[in-house]
Amino acid sequence: MKILLVDDDPISSNALYDYLLSKGYKTNTAATAKECFEKLQSEEFDVLLLDFVLPDKSGLEILNELAKNTRYNDLTKIMITGFGSIKTAVEAMKKGAYDFITKPIDLKYLIQLLKRIEKEKKIIEERNMYIEHLSNINIDIVQAKSRTMNQVWELAKQIAVSDSPVLLTGETGVGKDIVARYIHAKSKRSNRPFVPINCAAIPKDLIEAELFGSEKGSFTGAIQRKRGKFEIANNGTLFLDEIGELDVSLQSKLLRVIEDGTFYRIGGSELVKTNVRIVAATNRDLKKLLANGKFREDLYYRISTFHIDIPPLRQRKEDIPVFLNYFIDMIARKYNKKTPKFNEEDYNLLCDYSWPGNVRELKAFCERLIVLSYHNEIKEKINNILDLDTKEANTNYSMKFIVRKHILDVYNKTGKNKLQTARLLQISRRTLHNKLKEYGVD
Ligand SMILES: Nc1ncnc2c1ncn2[C@@H]1O[C@H](COP(=O)(O)OP(=O)(O)OP(=O)(O)O)[C@@H](O)[C@H]1O
Ligand SMILES: [Mg+2]
């Protein structure tokens, strides 16, 4: 970990410098704000130890300037105050300081602090290993830990270079949308438009005009020529979301554009040429729709030139902790809140949960967790999980879940009579008491 020590008093600065070096920290010093910024610009530092009073600028002013530059987001700022002024220290924390220490410096405390920072930085670093930022579409993608999902991303990357259609299938919330964007971002079309259209969200009689455009006067309300998504997406990618909902009558027109890149606008006689790459997605079973005559077979074979099936979260449980950590951290930052620490029991339960709404459900849960109270949300979630209808054989619950559910069921059935519950469960009252406390039910 590299430290920049900014202090204008040579005596205290030198002493601290020597001490930090002796503890194995690579340290550099600056005596003025100007020098501080020069050093920050020419070298990467992890921690800034910043004296409150400098000859050219105050520590608060420096914090302000640092906050304006995202380059310094990962720089941990610790203020050193000579006067022990709590008010300025609080102000500094608001402006992004991590902590403050008072002069004379308690060296033991400082080392503890640095060790803690080092540990936290390591955790963040590990977490960032799983994030890929696609700057051209400004999306952070959480990299998977599971083998199956890694294969999905790998396949997506390989497919991206081709111009052939891709079909993405998978339950709601598994990440079809994000994989579609990834394919676009990794393709040679990446600086051209990515145009999504949700076939389920647009009424049947409007979708044709949305896709293919319309000429002026072609139907009531068409007061001018309208470009369709196929024109807008020219040279880019058209993402046909929920393609299973597309009316059969439109499917042949769609097939034709995919085959030869031409179509007519509604009410138009001019053949329009377009060059789009189709990515389609659905959470329906297209094979079933084929059998029922709801989906054209020729179209199906055309759009599924490449087919990626994204597995649900419950089939790739290793990915759950990565998502949990990422979303909690990301959302906490968004709302400027401290990242809550899970207790182990809760964490394990959440990692074991089947998440029927997949990544979307998990993300929404993290959002509520941060915005509402951590403890209430955790308890509520877990109790909700337990309330799920278990008549259907559910293979996704761990032993712990079942034990918890059973204890709570009996407890509720006895009208919250502890003595009776303990007797029925054949456990001591003390054990029952501890369990209830653990579940937040007492
Ligand atoms: N690998 C990932 N990294 C970051 N966020 C993800 C990842 N996978 C999914 N998400 C997030 O989870 C949510 C659901 O993903 P997405 O919208 O891609 O699902 P979907 O399969 O298209 O769902 P639906 O069938 O309901 O349209 C989104 O907010 C998305 O950003
Ligand atoms: Mg989607």
Side-chain angles (χ1 to χ4, degrees), residues 146-158:
S146 63
R147 204 170 56 92
T148 46
M149 203 55 203
N150 268 311
Q151 284 168 347
V152 164
W153 290 115
E154 190 47 44
L155 190 57
K157 200 192 266 172
Q158 286 172 6

Side-chain angles (χ1 to χ4, degrees), residues 14-78:
N14 284 343
L16 192 52
Y17 174 81
D18 288 343
Y19 181 73
L20 289 170
L21 275 190
S22 76
K23 288 288 172 186
Y25 291 107
K26 290 187 202 119
T27 310
N28 209 326
T29 56
T32 60
K34 185 165 170 276
E35 205 182 332
C36 165
F37 278 106
E38 278 166 8
K39 296 234 158 133
L40 284 176
Q41 241 156 41
S42 60
E43 260 180 83
E44 285 280 330
F45 290 95
D46 302 295
V47 175
L48 181 68
L49 272 172
L50 182 59
D51 195 7
F52 245 123
V53 192
L54 292 168
D56 48 347
K57 264 192 182 126
S58 80
L60 286 181
E61 280 172 308
I62 294 181
L63 283 182
N64 266 340
E65 265 177 55
L66 291 175
K68 281 187 210 140
N69 193 338
T70 50
R71 195 194 135 130
Y72 302 121
N73 279 359
D74 294 335
L75 179 69
T76 306
K77 301 110 190 163
I78 301 174

Side-chain angles (χ1 to χ4, degrees), residues 358-410:
N358 295 296
V359 186
R360 180 175 300 110
E361 183 189 5
L362 192 148
K363 189 175 171 184
F365 165 71
C366 294
E367 183 106 19
R368 284 196 310 269
L369 192 83
I370 301 285
V371 175
L372 307 173
S373 138
Y374 171 77
H375 289 286
N376 291 346
E377 274 306 307
I378 284 275
K379 296 297 171 213
E380 192 175 311
K381 181 81 196 171
I382 289 165
N383 289 336
N384 273 347
I385 293 170
L386 296 172
D387 267 351
L388 290 180
D389 190 356
T390 44
K391 265 178 264 156
E392 229 177 276
N394 198 324
T395 48
N396 298 310
Y397 296 147
S398 69
M399 191 70 175
K400 261 188 183 160
F401 260 77
I402 301 303
V403 169
R404 181 173 176 144
K405 177 164 175 54
H406 188 56
I407 292 177
L408 292 179
D409 279 352
V410 175

